[in-house]
Amino acid sequence: MSVVSKLCFGGTEPPESDVIKRIFSYITRTVERSNQAGERMYTKQMSVFDDMIDPTPVVRSFLLQLLIHKSEEMVQMYLQDFFCHATGLCRQGREETDQDTIDKIVQFSLLVIHCFEDLYHEQGSQTIRPSEEMSAACSHLSDGRTYILSSGLDMAKMFNIAQCRYGLSVTAKYLHAMFVARHKKTSTGNFNKLLERTSQLLSVQDTEWPKKFLVKQICREFGTDSYHAICDTGKVPWLALDVTDQVKECPDRYVVCLEYQKIRETLARTLLGEDIKHLKQLVKDNEMLFLLAIHREVTMRNINPQTQEQSVEGITTFIETTKEKVTQKDIAMRLLRNQLGGPGSCLTVRRGHNMRDQSVMCLLVHAYVTLTHFNKVTNFIKPLTDLILAPHKMRNMFLPTMPQDDIDAIRQSLTREGTIVFYQCQNGHPYAIGECGRPYTEATCNICKTKIGGQSHQAAAGNTQVTGDQTRPGHVLGRAADRTNAYAGERRLGGAACAVLRFFTHAALLLGAETSQPATAALVYPPLQQDVRQFFLEHLQKDLQIIHMATGKSVDDVFLLLHFICHQISQSDAYRRMEPQALDNKQIRETWEEQFAKSFIGPVLQDLDNCLNTCNERIMKDKRIGQDKLMSILYEVDTSTPKEVECLHEFPAVWRYRSRITLEHFLREFHLKVENIKGKKSKMEVLSLFRQQHPFLQALHRIPNILRLQQFLMAKYRRPLDRVEAKNMTIADAAEDGNNSIDVLENLSDFIAAWECVKEGLHSYGCWTVHDGLIHLPDAYKNMRIDENSPLAVLLPSTQGPGICSYMMLEFLFRKHNEFMESYCNKTKQKYERLPEVSMRKLHSNHLVSYHPDRDLLPLVLANCNYSFELGKGTTIEYDFEGFEYQLKEVILQAKSRVEQKSHVIPIDTMVYRADTTNSVVFKILRDRIDQESLSPAVKLQIVSELKSSLPDVCDSINNLDITTSFLKSLGGEPDKPLQTFMTDVLKMKQTITSQKARQFCRFKHIQSLWLLLSFEKSVILAQHGQDAFDDFDNELKEGLPDDARAELKQFCQNKNLEKLEYLLQQMFDCFLLRVAQPVDPNDQDAIDLKSISLRDILQGDRDAPLYSKEPDETLTDEDIFSFPAVILGEAHPRHLAISPPGT
């Protein structure tokens, strides 16, 4: 299959006609004629190969999809011919057309329908905007409504049903998005049109299957609670089933417990007046089930105000008086009175309780009953029991699944590049120091902005070296909203097992808050700023979402899975035999987690499909709340087969829910069925590594387009644009420029897709940079939504401002690639250091682990998949994981490179803005090529007067001078060459410098002086108009002076003559722009952060390291420096300070 995909379908043109015919013969087989009298038609068995190598339709499906993509018209012609023959076969007479032949034709029809449905899904997944997907669905639904009842077995019918299935799937998606998830940015107009088209299809008489299919899609994808929530809005009355007389209660999932139904039904009859002796006989050995039955039959009555009152007096008397049968009398009485939780508790049943809240409540009750039933006997699950009943005892305990400090492992990894010493700021945030490992410069913490580092190898106040393990006891995940949706594991727990155990931990904490809110709140770090019960309820909802993603099962199935694990815990004797453990250190916690997962979670995940099928069958057969109609639709009990194959839309099999074969489905199955095998380590280490990193690796194939976009934008806007302009200009504005050589919006889609893949992984990620050390993504940009209306600055890599998103995304992906290749080399006994190293500027897709999930990996998945479909039974999918791993290594991972890394920094090209903090570097390079001289005071004065304080003229002049500087710093030139001649004759500028004096007088040697003069004039104009004159400076450079210093400075200015004052301001401005506001390389031990020293030392150092090769007419003297007020001038440094030009 892989060979056929690459050789026959690898190009842009379809294969030749003979190749298509040969391939098609594998898909349809031939309809042959007998030479006997009467010439009856018959079909061969529909396998692909005569020797039965592949008895399943996966190969046929795969080949058909390839043909559809390359030559859809020819496919339709061949299929139409096949269906004509098949129709003729069926019309020979009903008595001569056996059921097996009809089944085979229907199966093949489904193969065709599913292929075209998958094609529509693939096209829909490539749309950028939801409105585009909804518009396509509207078109398909409109066509479907027109032809849904047409009879005949032909391609039009196949298209019709495929269009209906796809359109209804999209409707289900956006019904949930609008009415349950409440996404605000979904187009209302397109959504209403989609609902109108869906309503029209469902209103067609004589067919109810489209409606049943839509209900199934909603329930199976998003849960029955979502279906009821949608119906309850009243905005889609055509969606509701005819079950208005039924009570809206969630399914009784307690039925996963054996013997439960018998106790529940006996309790119900007792409440109706039956002798209580029948109940007494059952309760003695099934107290937990009795408590669950009370909750379901008595407590849950409070949901429906119309429920007929039933006397609980007999049950109350029985509970209060019996001695041996009910040991948990308090819980039983609280359940009878609906008082299991306090006021406002999620355990209290309320009138009109919605379905989702009911499901969560029942799950919490089941967990409560299970985890506390044997609390009087010390046992293995005591940590969870204590969280519920005695949370104060868990104050210093390490809670299950909480992350821990792995600083030792990090230190070991980083020290391969040299010495790395970890410190923490006064608020406990960690940072690292390389080289000698001792602080030499000061900076600010990226998180809390307090001072970090130090001077002269002395740490700043409050900063301490991290010497021990920093793992905290208690709950340390923070807010649920800040958690990612990734289902990565912790320690020796796989992703799914970790998510399940974390759910039980949060359930125990939430139940513990019902016991003691202060004691439970005391377990949380950072300290809580909200109600403790709401805090853990939000975490619980997040856990359910992550389990849903980790298992690929519907929300209903997730609830069922957790109920079943509760049942497994209650039935197992293993935890009673295990020794109780106090989780007072990390090692004990890790051992306890592993034992819990192996005993209760792993076995269920291993056989998840069979387990859920059994549980769902019990729910389907449960008659208690009369949800027969919904359940029968949901679990597809109708397996009838009409006799007329031309009426394909009447076959239940045509409208079955199906799991599409995708890469994500494959990886989930591998995780559940291989990685979670009890007591056995997977031999497929490369596939395990790939599964763990796939969420990020799948973005690597987009990097070449992202780099192409960024290189174009940086070349176009380099230096003409300042940071404010880049924030104000949108991406759409840049895209509308008619001079663009690339399609900005087309490449933007790759950037957005990559950002969506990695943004949650950046929440706690630290990124090493050349000038700014370790940086983190600011809170303002976490989970940022990027589209064409976002600032252009987002696309331009930078270590500050919106561009930090672009910078960190690239660095994160490059590092993930390198880490993956290093681990891959270790597992395959290769040397990582021998991989060729490639710089970012020379990077191509073949250097990276670059693959498209559908185009490159789906063929490998299908080639290693056994897929079968049977009428009435649905699909069965089995994978050859070892075969896939082998092909993954051969096809995807061969001959890759590593991205260039210097020490622990991956160099990323950054945007250079006008008046950016890299000006000192630019002019240092310029001075090395062309000696610079200062303009005389008289020339400066004349240039300024000609500018007439016009901000547009000044900015235009600076822009043009920036472009000129960027050329001359590379080309060099004679210092005395006229600047105006170069700008007009060589650079072909129509407008150069606004000042005539500057055009006439200035030479190459005056560029630096002219640029500084124009920048000073721009700041003066901005200040005069009340705007920020130092917009590009860090906030720490713009702190206000104390009142006494402000008064002395005012007096100083009043005592100076205007000409002298302006000269001093110009000198200070030049010094700040090219000296103070520059980043400090953390790897340069001799570098000094000028922001940390006094004005006296800065000005003296600037004088001792002049910016000009020839001494200016006017220079700064000691008298000028010491004329400043002492409170502003500051203290002298203990040693003489000379400021060396950057790079020397």
Side-chain angles (χ1 to χ4, degrees):
M1 291 173 65
S2 181
V3 171
V4 170
S5 174
K6 290 184 179 299
L7 296 186
C8 299
F9 298 92
T12 57
E13 297 297 324
E16 295 179 3
S17 177
D18 289 343
V19 175
I20 293 179
K21 289 179 181 178
R22 182 59 181 268
I23 291 174
F24 224 91
S25 72
Y26 292 137
I27 298 172
T28 62
R29 303 305 297 158
T30 56
V31 179
E32 300 182 359
R33 296 179 182 271
S34 170
N35 291 325
Q36 300 175 5
E39 280 200 324
R40 294 194 318 169
M41 299 170 62
Y42 65 93
T43 60
K44 289 185 177 181
Q45 183 174 352
M46 292 214 178
S47 66
V48 179
F49 305 107
D50 292 330
D51 55 4
M52 297 297 291
I53 291 175
D54 179 51
T56 67
V58 65
V59 175
R60 287 183 291 156
S61 174
F62 177 55
L63 293 176
L64 182 56
Q65 288 190 44
L66 290 177
L67 285 169
I68 290 171
H69 278 84
K70 291 297 181 181
S71 51
E72 186 174 339
E73 291 183 4
M74 189 170 289
V75 168
Q76 292 185 42
M77 181 181 70
Y78 276 100
L79 288 176
Q80 183 64 42
D81 182 59
F82 172 82
F83 283 122
C84 286
H85 286 299
T87 304
L89 180 68
C90 294
R91 287 175 179 171
Q92 292 180 43
R94 183 177 298 178
E95 69 281 356
E96 298 183 21
T97 309
D98 59 18
Q99 190 63 44
D100 184 57
T101 300
I102 292 178
D103 286 352
K104 290 187 184 304
I105 293 174
V106 173
Q107 285 191 34
F108 183 74
S109 300
L110 286 173
L111 181 74
V112 176
I113 291 169
H114 291 165
C115 281
F116 280 100
E117 182 188 0
D118 288 342
L119 177 65
Y120 298 144
H121 277 289
E122 183 180 337
Q123 293 169 347
S125 67
Q126 294 171 359
T127 58
I128 298 177
R129 302 174 183 86
S131 58
E132 297 174 3
E133 186 178 23
M134 286 190 281
S135 295
C138 285
S139 176
H140 290 312
L141 289 169
S142 181
D143 292 342
R145 175 182 178 274
T146 304
Y147 303 108
I148 185 66
L149 295 181
S150 62
S151 61
L153 193 64
D154 53 20
M155 281 306 298
K157 192 67 175 178
M158 304 301 129
F159 282 132
N160 174 255
I161 295 176
Q163 287 174 320
C164 288
R165 287 178 60 97
Y166 169 72
L168 293 171
S169 298
V170 174
T171 300
K173 172 182 174 180
Y174 286 104
L175 279 171
H176 177 268
M178 289 294 284
F179 295 142
V180 181
R182 301 188 183 281
H183 292 169
K184 297 180 180 178
K185 296 193 176 182
T186 303
S187 169
T188 305
N190 289 99
F191 178 66
N192 290 335
K193 186 177 179 181
L194 180 65
L195 295 187
E196 181 184 350
R197 295 290 186 271
T198 304
S199 173
Q200 291 171 353
L201 173 61
L202 268 54
S203 64
V204 174
Q205 293 183 352
D206 301 325
T207 177
E208 60 179 358
W209 285 109
K211 180 174 183 176
K212 291 181 177 180
F213 178 78
L214 177 57
V215 171
K216 279 188 289 188
Q217 282 294 123
I218 297 172
C219 292
R220 295 293 291 270
E221 292 289 337
F222 308 109
T224 52
D225 56 317
S226 292
Y227 168 70
H228 285 288
I230 293 167
C231 291
D232 288 344
T233 62
K235 297 180 180 179
V236 283
W238 38 264
L239 182 61
L241 297 171
D242 187 20
V243 290
T244 53
D245 58 331
Q246 295 177 5
V247 178
K248 290 184 179 178
E249 293 183 18
C250 66
D252 188 355
R253 299 186 177 95
Y254 298 148
V255 297
V256 301
C257 305
L258 301 175
E259 304 296 325
Y260 164 77
Q261 281 178 282
K262 184 187 295 185
I263 295 176
R264 186 196 68 193
E265 290 166 5
T266 305
L267 174 62
R269 290 195 299 270
T270 303
L271 291 170
L272 293 172
E274 185 178 271
D275 194 327
I276 201 170
K277 68 179 181 180
H278 301 294
L279 182 63
K280 291 180 179 180
Q281 294 171 359
L282 294 173
V283 169
K284 182 176 181 181
D285 298 322
N286 296 287
E287 184 179 352
M288 277 192 286
L289 302 184
F290 174 58
L291 295 175
L292 295 178
I294 292 176
H295 182 256
R296 192 72 209 195
E297 287 296 323
V298 180
T299 317
M300 293 283 284
R301 288 188 321 196
N302 293 278
I303 292 173
N304 184 22
Q306 281 78 40
T307 302
Q308 182 180 355
E309 285 293 327
Q310 297 171 339
S311 174
V312 296
E313 184 177 345
I315 305 296
T316 304
T317 303
F318 163 65
I319 293 171
E320 291 177 338
T321 57
T322 185
K323 294 182 179 179
E324 71 283 354
K325 291 185 174 63
V326 182
T327 59
Q328 293 184 289
K329 296 180 185 294
D330 178 59
I331 296 177
M333 295 303 297
R334 286 159 61 193
L335 285 171
L336 285 173
R337 297 165 183 158
N338 191 21
Q339 294 176 351
L340 188 61
S345 168
C346 61
L347 298 178
T348 302
V349 180
R350 300 184 302 277
R351 180 175 298 184
H353 223 149
N354 68 52
M355 296 275 285
R356 179 60 176 255
D357 290 344
Q358 289 180 47
S359 297
V360 171
M361 174 185 62
C362 290
L363 190 51
L364 285 169
V365 170
H366 200 169
Y368 185 93
V369 170
T370 300
L371 298 176
T372 62
H373 187 68
F374 299 106
N375 68 294
K376 294 181 181 178
V377 180
T378 303
N379 56 71
F380 175 73
I381 60 171
K382 189 175 187 298
L384 296 179
T385 305
D386 283 348
L387 281 177
I388 298 173
L389 300 178
H392 62 279
K393 293 182 180 180
M394 300 296 290
R395 182 68 182 269
N396 296 313
M397 299 297 170
F398 294 88
L399 303 188
T401 75
M402 293 299 114
Q404 64 189 31
D405 176 20
D406 293 316
I407 197 168
D408 291 334
I410 297 172
R411 184 186 289 113
Q412 184 178 358
S413 173
L414 289 176
T415 49
R416 286 180 293 183
E417 304 287 349
T419 302
I420 295 289
V421 178
F422 283 86
Y423 290 77
Q424 62 183 13
C425 73
Q426 63 187 28
N427 291 324
H429 302 128
Y431 61 95
I433 297 179
E435 304 300 338
C436 68
R438 294 181 293 172
Y440 197 79
T441 60
E442 292 182 345
T444 56
C445 175
N446 283 300
I447 301 174
C448 64
K449 306 304 180 185
T450 58
K451 186 179 293 185
I452 61 173
Q455 292 183 336
S456 303
H457 295 162
Q458 295 294 319
N463 285 244
T464 56
Q465 184 174 338
V466 178
T467 55
D469 192 330
Q470 302 298 303
T471 302
R472 290 181 177 274
H475 186 279
V476 295
L477 290 178
R479 299 184 310 133
D482 295 332
R483 289 171 57 189
T484 71
N485 287 327
Y487 46 92
E490 287 285 350
R491 295 171 284 280
R492 285 182 278 182
L493 293 180
C498 180
V500 171
L501 180 52
R502 184 166 286 171
F503 169 85
F504 280 103
T505 302
H506 283 135
L509 286 161
L510 177 55
L511 295 168
E514 298 292 343
T515 304
S516 172
Q517 291 192 35
T520 306
L523 303 178
V524 180
Y525 179 85
L528 278 178
Q529 304 295 322
Q530 66 180 109
D531 178 76
V532 62
R533 294 181 299 186
Q534 183 62 29
F535 175 81
F536 286 120
L537 183 59
E538 290 171 3
H539 274 286
L540 214 63
Q541 299 282 12
K542 189 74 171 182
D543 294 331
L544 293 171
Q545 181 183 359
I546 292 175
I547 297 170
H548 161 64
M549 297 177 65
T551 60
K553 302 302 178 184
S554 69
V555 177
D556 286 339
D557 282 347
V558 169
F559 280 116
L560 212 52
L561 163 67
L562 296 170
H563 275 285
F564 187 76
I565 291 176
C566 286
H567 175 58
Q568 292 294 94
I569 295 173
S570 66
Q571 293 298 299
S572 174
D573 290 330
Y575 75 88
R576 301 174 208 176
R577 295 194 302 268
M578 294 180 193
E579 289 295 323
Q581 295 177 328
L583 308 184
D584 53 7
N585 65 59
K586 293 196 302 184
Q587 290 71 29
I588 290 179
R589 171 173 65 182
E590 185 171 341
T591 302
W592 186 91
E593 289 172 339
E594 187 178 22
Q595 289 178 334
F596 188 97
K598 284 183 176 180
S599 300
F600 308 121
I601 303 174
V604 179
L605 294 180
Q606 272 298 298
D607 196 31
L608 184 58
D609 288 335
N610 288 333
C611 167
L612 291 176
N613 287 339
T614 301
C615 294
N616 276 316
E617 189 174 348
R618 291 181 192 170
I619 287 183
M620 185 176 63
K621 294 179 179 179
D622 183 23
K623 307 295 183 182
R624 176 185 178 273
I625 59 175
Q627 284 199 327
D628 297 6
K629 187 164 185 177
L630 179 58
M631 291 299 108
S632 63
I633 292 174
L634 190 54
Y635 297 107
E636 301 177 327
V637 297
D638 187 348
T639 58
S640 59
T641 305
K643 295 298 182 182
E644 297 295 332
V645 74
E646 289 91 342
C647 297
L648 199 61
H649 58 273
E650 296 180 1
F651 281 74
V654 169
W655 302 100
R656 290 182 69 90
Y657 174 85
R658 71 184 183 106
S659 296
R660 296 171 57 231
I661 297 178
T662 62
L663 177 63
E664 284 67 27
H665 185 271
F666 172 87
L667 295 176
R668 277 197 300 264
E669 290 294 295
F670 174 73
H671 175 61
L672 294 174
K673 295 183 177 180
V674 177
E675 293 181 312
N676 279 318
I677 294 179
K678 182 177 180 180
K680 185 177 180 181
K681 185 178 180 181
S682 168
K683 295 181 180 179
M684 289 167 277
E685 293 183 339
V686 172
L687 184 50
S688 288
L689 175 65
F690 176 78
R691 184 200 64 77
Q692 294 164 15
Q693 297 302 322
H694 165 68
F696 304 123
L697 296 180
Q698 64 178 327
L700 290 176
H701 77 279
R702 303 182 184 277
I703 281 184
N705 283 345
I706 294 172
L707 294 180
R708 191 178 304 114
L709 173 64
Q710 290 179 336
Q711 288 163 4
F712 165 75
L713 293 174
M714 287 195 291
K716 181 176 181 178
Y717 294 109
R718 194 177 185 88
R719 300 197 71 82
L721 203 66
D722 65 26
R723 293 184 180 275
V724 175
E725 292 168 339
K727 289 181 183 178
N728 293 335
M729 180 185 293
T730 66
I731 298 172
D733 293 336
E736 291 172 0
D737 191 329
N739 297 321
N740 290 341
S741 60
I742 67 171
D743 189 326
V744 173
L745 293 182
E746 184 178 331
N747 288 274
L748 174 65
S749 62
D750 285 301
F751 187 96
I752 294 172
W755 172 251
E756 291 298 319
C757 282
V758 308
K759 66 180 182 181
E760 291 186 347
L762 297 177
H763 281 197
S764 57
Y765 180 70
C767 171
W768 289 97
T769 64
V770 174
H771 296 296
D772 298 313
L774 188 65
I775 63 174
H776 294 82
L777 191 67
D779 290 341
Y781 303 120
K782 291 178 180 177
N783 292 323
M784 181 179 180
R785 185 177 184 273
I786 297 175
D787 56 27
E788 62 266 31
N789 296 316
S790 299
L792 178 64
V794 171
L795 300 182
L796 306 173
S798 176
T799 57
Q800 53 184 294
I804 197 172
C805 300
S806 179
Y807 187 100
M808 291 191 66
M809 180 185 77
L810 286 176
E811 202 275 350
F812 179 84
L813 288 173
F814 289 148
R815 194 170 296 278
K816 284 293 179 183
H817 166 83
N818 284 355
E819 291 174 351
F820 175 84
M821 289 308 302
E822 185 173 13
S823 299
Y824 172 69
C825 289
N826 289 337
K827 295 181 185 302
T828 54
K829 311 302 180 186
Q830 302 178 55
K831 288 195 176 294
Y832 173 70
E833 294 75 16
R834 292 184 179 177
L835 295 182
E837 191 174 63
V838 60
S839 68
M840 173 182 163
R841 295 180 181 179
K842 298 179 180 180
L843 201 64
H844 296 287
S845 59
N846 59 311
H847 295 127
L848 302 171
V849 183
S850 175
Y851 58 87
H852 190 284
D854 290 332
R855 289 196 298 267
D856 299 320
L857 289 187
L858 189 56
L860 302 186
V861 171
L862 293 172
N864 294 279
C865 161
N866 292 320
Y867 171 103
S868 62
F869 176 88
E870 291 183 48
L871 291 178
K873 294 185 179 179
T875 57
T876 302
I877 303 171
E878 292 183 357
Y879 295 109
D880 177 5
F881 297 114
E882 290 186 3
F884 178 87
E885 184 187 55
Y886 174 79
Q887 290 187 310
L888 177 71
K889 291 189 286 188
E890 291 295 312
V891 177
I892 303 297
L893 304 180
Q894 280 280 21
K896 298 303 176 185
S897 304
R898 54 195 172 105
V899 180
E900 179 186 33
Q901 185 170 331
K902 296 179 180 179
S903 184
H904 49 274
V905 176
I906 296 178
I908 305 290
D909 288 342
T910 56
M911 175 66 176
V912 178
Y913 291 98
R914 184 176 71 240
D916 209 346
T917 54
T918 53
N919 290 318
S920 64
V921 177
V922 171
F923 286 108
K924 167 63 174 62
I925 298 172
L926 180 69
R927 291 195 301 271
D928 289 342
R929 287 190 170 272
I930 304 172
D931 290 337
Q932 293 295 297
E933 294 180 12
S934 176
L935 293 167
S936 67
V939 172
K940 289 182 179 181
L941 185 62
Q942 188 170 350
I943 291 173
V944 170
S945 65
E946 290 177 351
L947 292 173
K948 299 178 181 179
S949 298
S950 170
L951 186 61
D953 287 347
V954 172
C955 290
D956 289 342
S957 299
I958 293 174
N959 288 342
N960 294 332
L961 202 58
D962 282 337
I963 296 172
T964 306
T965 304
S966 67
F967 277 89
L968 288 179
K969 73 180 177 63
S970 300
L971 300 175
E974 294 296 326
D976 290 314
K977 281 191 175 182
L979 186 60
Q980 174 69 11
T981 302
F982 179 79
M983 296 175 79
T984 56
D985 295 353
V986 178
L987 300 183
K988 306 298 182 182
M989 290 184 179
K990 295 180 179 179
Q991 301 292 331
T992 56
I993 309 298
T994 306
S995 165
Q996 182 179 355
K997 182 66 177 179
R999 295 196 299 270
Q1000 292 175 345
F1001 182 84
C1002 290
R1003 302 292 185 264
F1004 283 8
K1005 61 185 178 182
H1006 297 132
I1007 291 179
Q1008 178 179 267
S1009 180
L1010 178 60
W1011 185 87
L1012 287 169
L1013 176 66
L1014 294 174
S1015 298
F1016 179 76
E1017 186 63 14
K1018 175 188 172 183
S1019 294
V1020 169
I1021 297 171
L1022 289 172
Q1024 288 173 343
H1025 289 82
Q1027 299 182 45
D1028 189 351
F1030 303 98
D1031 181 67
D1032 289 319
F1033 283 19
D1034 292 337
N1035 289 332
E1036 60 181 316
L1037 290 174
K1038 297 188 284 188
E1039 293 181 6
L1041 289 172
D1043 291 342
D1044 57 339
R1046 188 184 295 270
E1048 289 197 36
L1049 180 61
K1050 184 177 180 179
Q1051 185 64 41
F1052 166 79
C1053 293
Q1054 291 173 346
N1055 293 337
K1056 288 284 183 183
N1057 68 65
L1058 191 60
E1059 183 178 340
K1060 188 67 173 178
L1061 181 61
E1062 185 166 351
Y1063 168 73
L1064 289 176
L1065 291 177
Q1066 173 81 62
Q1067 292 299 308
M1068 290 179 64
F1069 180 87
D1070 295 354
C1071 182
F1072 288 156
L1073 205 60
L1074 297 186
R1075 308 283 202 198
V1076 180
Q1078 301 311 308
V1080 178
D1081 187 350
N1083 298 316
D1084 185 358
Q1085 290 189 358
D1086 296 324
I1088 297 175
D1089 187 355
L1090 300 186
K1091 294 188 286 290
S1092 63
I1093 64 177
S1094 67
L1095 178 63
R1096 176 204 304 254
D1097 289 332
I1098 290 173
L1099 295 177
Q1100 286 181 326
D1102 182 64
R1103 183 192 59 187
D1104 295 339
L1107 295 171
Y1108 301 100
S1109 57
K1110 180 182 178 180
E1111 186 171 324
D1113 295 341
E1114 192 172 12
T1115 59
L1116 203 63
T1117 64
D1118 281 341
E1119 181 180 353
D1120 294 328
I1121 296 172
F1122 287 98
S1123 67
F1124 281 91
V1127 67
I1128 292 175
L1129 201 58
E1131 297 293 330
H1133 197 273
R1135 59 184 175 86
H1136 177 67
L1137 178 68
I1139 303 176
S1140 299
T1144 62

